[in-house]
Amino acid sequence: MSESKTRLGVSAYAICVFVLALGSNGFRNLVGWPGFLGLAVALVVWGIVIFGRERPERFRWYRLPAPLYWFLGLAILSIFWSQYRVESVLGVIGQLATTLLAVVIAFVLSWHEVLRTLGTALRYLIGLSLVFELIVAVFVQHPVFQNFIDVPESGKIPKLLYWSRDLLFVGGPIQGLVASSVLLGFIALLGVIIFGIQLRAGLVRPVRGWFWLVLSFVTILLTRGATVWVALAAVVVGLVLALWARRLGPERRVPLYVTGGAVLAVALGLVLFARDFVFGLLGKSGDLTGRVETWQKVIDLAEQRPWFGWGWISYWAPWTEPFASLDEKAGIQVMSAHNAWLDVWLQLGIVGLLAFAPLIVLTTWRVWFRAVDPPRRGYGPPLTYATSALWPFLVMIALLVQSLTESRLIIEGNWLLLVLLAVKSRFDFQLPSLEAEPTQLPWRRIPITHDTDTIGLRR
């Protein structure tokens, strides 16, 4: 197999993984649960084959982040004390499979290839979502239901049952292929980050870059989600702090950290004490569409088994207790705590949080210094910063902000991105310089490389 074909196959694999993980709801609507699980199994097998062929030289089991082992190990052990053992087994299998996909991508692809394949996947998801909504608005002209959910025969139909509500021409909120304005808005936010980085770094043609960047902003507008705007604001603040840190250099960053801490404190204060006012500006209620009530019910349940939780499950199983009677909205049982941290506490207890928090903190720490540390070649003077070094940090901010109102960080696409960033920042600590930015090469001309030209400080 030639190098170009091998790299084309690896890139295609990564794109498929990102599309399936981030657009999982859409695939379940298109092919049902059996088809979705078949695709997932096929990607796991494909990943194992690619990993066996590539045999990454830098792969060592001990190079995976220790907190990842702690978290997954505790999830496996929780099967023994779980109140829903069969569902816990299935949840653990799904968690391990998603982790495996992330590890394969982390070791087989370079940072720039991850950026490029993730950008391609986001274009598919955003573009096809808008095309889907356009088809519904022009040809179907009425709401479309998700095909794996039973529609009630009478009474008011909950919004959660719709695949598309046919609201494109009235300004939304649209739900796209993923059947959720929240999920589509977050995908569009990732698009703003990735397309903006690619455009600024010159990794795509200007017309193409601006087109997808504008389309991502339009998608955010059409989803009409308040939390995605909060996440976007956090990403902008993070970008400003990172660029400021680059200008200050490693020795003069104390004022920056003080400012960053103050900004974080103010943001937390606004959320805790002025939530009604802040979300009122965004046209949303202070209870975050009923999330506050759900959080209280989750806290009450978690306090019954505070240290080790009720057992890992990832997605809640609404047919078994305690989830069957825990909470419902508009006649539909809630499928998550709508907060990743509360979900970890509920399922794995305080011990689970003690494993999960270091994974988040250390990953954020490493991607921050990847974004702001000056690249060097050996012991020479610092080289010019590369724009592409920023994207892991900005994506991490988006993941963290969304984790406060959604539980997606511990499942499917967001867990994939978290593990990918955690693993890759743990062993691949090369910092790209401006002169090392890749050019606009077609897929088939991108070689398999093990670039060691630009090396940064390991943290």
Side-chain angles (χ1 to χ4, degrees):
M1 181 179 291
S2 68
E3 285 191 350
S4 63
K5 290 182 179 179
T6 300
R7 184 48 61 189
L8 179 63
V10 169
S11 299
Y13 169 75
I15 293 170
C16 290
V17 170
F18 286 133
V19 169
L20 184 69
L22 292 169
S24 54
N25 277 18
F27 281 94
R28 287 191 284 269
N29 274 320
L30 289 171
V31 298
W33 271 101
F36 173 77
L37 294 176
L39 291 172
V41 170
L43 285 179
V44 170
V45 174
W46 188 6
I48 294 173
V49 171
I50 287 178
F51 198 83
R53 288 184 176 181
E54 295 292 320
R55 296 180 181 178
E57 294 180 359
R58 290 181 290 182
F59 175 74
R60 301 291 187 276
W61 286 110
Y62 61 79
R63 285 182 171 172
L64 300 184
L68 181 62
Y69 282 120
W70 304 341
F71 184 81
L72 294 176
L74 186 62
I76 294 171
L77 290 175
S78 73
I79 294 173
F80 295 101
W81 65 77
S82 172
Q83 299 299 295
Y84 29 82
R85 191 158 296 172
V86 173
E87 290 80 5
S88 284
V89 171
L90 296 176
V92 167
I93 291 174
Q95 206 74 24
L96 293 176
T98 307
T99 302
L100 185 147
L101 296 176
V103 171
V104 170
I105 293 176
F107 277 96
V108 172
L109 273 69
S110 69
W111 279 107
H112 286 301
E113 288 169 328
V114 174
L115 173 63
R116 184 168 187 173
T117 53
L118 178 57
T120 300
L122 292 173
R123 290 184 183 93
Y124 279 123
L125 290 171
I126 294 172
L128 291 176
S129 289
L130 293 177
V131 169
F132 167 70
E133 291 286 354
L134 184 63
I135 291 174
V136 171
V138 174
F139 299 103
V140 181
Q141 297 184 352
H142 61 75
V144 178
F145 294 103
Q146 300 185 49
N147 63 17
F148 61 89
I149 295 180
D150 294 330
V151 180
E153 297 180 357
S154 61
K156 184 178 180 180
I157 300 175
K159 297 177 182 178
L160 294 175
L161 295 182
Y162 289 109
W163 190 357
S164 169
R165 295 164 59 193
D166 186 22
L167 299 175
L168 178 63
F169 290 157
V170 295
I174 64 171
Q175 299 173 192
L177 284 178
V178 295
S180 167
S181 58
V182 173
L183 298 185
L184 182 59
F186 184 75
I187 290 172
L189 174 60
L190 292 179
V192 169
I193 296 171
I194 299 302
F195 304 150
I197 292 294
Q198 289 181 322
L199 181 63
R200 180 64 180 84
L203 305 180
V204 293
R205 300 182 188 280
V207 173
R208 184 187 184 200
W210 279 111
F211 173 79
W212 285 105
L213 184 59
V214 170
L215 206 62
S216 297
F217 271 114
V218 170
T219 303
I220 291 177
L221 289 171
L222 290 173
T223 57
R224 296 171 59 177
T227 54
V228 71
W229 287 108
V230 174
L232 179 58
V235 168
V236 171
V237 171
L239 176 61
V240 171
L241 292 176
L243 296 178
W244 186 15
R246 286 184 171 190
R247 291 181 63 86
L248 292 175
E251 298 83 13
R252 298 184 293 119
R253 291 177 182 163
V254 173
L256 179 142
Y257 292 130
V258 172
T259 302
V263 170
L264 180 60
V266 170
L268 290 175
L270 289 174
V271 171
L272 292 175
F273 303 109
R275 187 172 60 242
D276 291 339
F277 172 75
V278 173
F279 284 92
L281 295 176
L282 299 172
K284 300 295 181 179
S285 61
D287 69 344
L288 301 176
T289 321
R291 283 172 171 79
V292 174
E293 180 184 357
T294 299
W295 294 343
Q296 187 57 57
K297 292 180 179 180
V298 171
I299 291 171
D300 293 340
L301 183 61
E303 286 177 340
Q304 297 179 28
R305 308 184 70 176
W307 287 101
F308 292 94
W310 291 78
W312 185 254
I313 195 172
S314 64
Y315 274 123
W316 291 1
W319 56 85
T320 186
E321 293 293 347
F323 306 110
S325 57
L326 180 56
D327 191 23
E328 67 175 38
K329 292 289 184 290
I332 299 179
Q333 290 167 315
V334 176
M335 297 291 289
S336 74
H338 289 292
N339 182 294
W341 303 86
L342 287 179
D343 240 328
V344 171
W345 182 27
L346 174 67
Q347 299 179 40
L348 296 180
I350 295 174
V351 176
L353 285 175
L354 293 177
F356 185 64
L359 179 65
I360 299 297
V361 172
L362 292 176
T363 302
T364 305
W365 174 268
R366 288 192 293 264
V367 296
W368 161 256
F369 284 107
R370 176 177 175 79
V372 302
D373 272 359
R376 298 177 184 271
R377 181 174 288 113
Y379 294 98
L383 303 175
T384 306
Y385 284 104
T387 302
S388 61
L390 292 165
W391 76 263
F393 174 61
L394 301 181
V395 168
M396 194 66 194
I397 292 176
L399 291 172
L400 288 177
V401 174
Q402 197 203 36
S403 74
L404 301 178
T405 57
E406 298 292 334
S407 296
R408 303 291 299 186
L409 187 61
I410 59 175
I411 57 176
E412 296 183 337
N414 289 22
W415 175 255
L416 177 84
L417 291 175
L418 172 61
V419 175
L420 171 60
L421 295 178
V423 171
K424 197 156 187 64
S425 65
R426 173 65 179 80
F427 79 91
D428 191 349
F429 42 88
Q430 298 169 5
L431 302 180
S433 63
L434 180 62
E435 64 185 36
E437 291 276 28
T439 55
Q440 301 173 24
L441 290 177
W443 286 110
R444 294 184 178 276
R445 291 179 58 193
I446 300 177
I448 300 175
T449 60
H450 303 283
D451 184 17
T452 57
D453 289 341
T454 55
I455 300 179
L457 298 176
R458 183 173 183 172
R459 294 189 179 264

